[in-house]
């Protein structure tokens, strides 16, 4: 019998709240965001749905897999433990594993970040689409204090 590691699906994007734009943050340009757990303005784990609102390649509709890859890069930002005005936390890599082909326009990230005291950390996310769980993503992070 196969072992199941399926995470429960988060509430749908229609139940979420849209974060308010802050300053000149370019990260949410071209993407519709709905937060369903946690907060994008407070440290800690968060769950949010994302939908691309413009093409990745001009004149072409993004495929569901392209949507997943674009959204997976938001994981360390939505589950940050540090103030981005004082710290940078770039992902040195991004690994995405899907156990099935994604479907639809919306992709959810259920993300959590863990940091060490040595300037590194990682973010792990469960990925979902409108039909349920579809895989995981992981980012290894490099942490540095921003110059004052």
């Amino acid at each position: 019998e196969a072992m199941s590691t399926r995470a429960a699906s988060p509430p749908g994007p229609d139940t979420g709240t849209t974060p308010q734009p802050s300053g000149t943050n370019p990260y949410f340009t071209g993407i519709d965001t709905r937060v369903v757990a946690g907060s994008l303005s407070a440290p800690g784990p968060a769950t949010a749905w994302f939908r691309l609102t413009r093409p990745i390649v001009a004149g072409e509709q993004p495929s569901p897999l392209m949507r997943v890859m674009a959204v997976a890069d938001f994981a360390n930002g939505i589950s940050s433990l540090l103030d981005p005005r004082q710290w940078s936390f770039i992902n040195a890599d991004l690994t995405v594993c899907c156990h099935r082909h994604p479907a639809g326009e919306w992709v959810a990230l259920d993300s959590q970040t863990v940091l060490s005291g040595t300037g590194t950390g990682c973010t792990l996310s469960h990925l979902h689409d409108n039909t349920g769980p579809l895989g995981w993503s992981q980012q290894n992070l490099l942490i540095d204090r921003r110059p004052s």
Side-chain angles (χ1 to χ4, degrees):
E1 184 175 342
M3 189 173 13
S4 174
T5 57
R6 294 174 59 119
S9 291
D14 55 323
T15 67
T17 59
T18 302
Q20 296 303 310
S22 60
T24 58
N25 185 341
Y27 299 111
F28 293 99
T29 302
I31 197 156
D32 190 2
T33 307
R34 307 291 170 81
V35 180
V36 294
S39 170
L40 303 193
S41 59
T47 305
W49 287 91
F50 299 90
R51 181 178 60 89
L52 299 177
T53 58
R54 58 176 78 151
I56 294 171
V57 176
E60 293 185 26
Q61 261 315 48
S63 71
L65 191 54
M66 289 171 75
R67 294 173 192 278
V68 168
M69 296 303 166
V71 166
D73 194 42
F74 282 88
N76 65 325
I78 71 166
S79 64
S80 172
L81 297 174
L82 300 170
D83 183 339
R85 295 168 297 185
Q86 297 176 8
W87 296 91
S88 65
F89 39 92
I90 62 165
N91 52 298
D93 60 6
L94 172 63
T95 302
V96 177
C97 300
C98 296
H99 53 78
R100 64 173 173 81
H101 194 74
E105 291 187 326
W106 287 96
V107 177
L109 292 174
D110 180 2
S111 302
Q112 180 174 353
T113 296
V114 177
L115 302 176
S116 74
T118 61
T120 61
C122 61
T123 299
L124 179 66
S125 299
H126 291 272
L127 301 168
H128 303 265
D129 62 17
N130 285 331
T131 62
L134 75 100
W136 303 267
S137 71
Q138 178 181 322
Q139 297 170 308
N140 291 303
L141 305 176
L142 298 174
I143 314 301
D144 197 14
R145 183 177 288 280
R146 294 188 187 276
S148 19

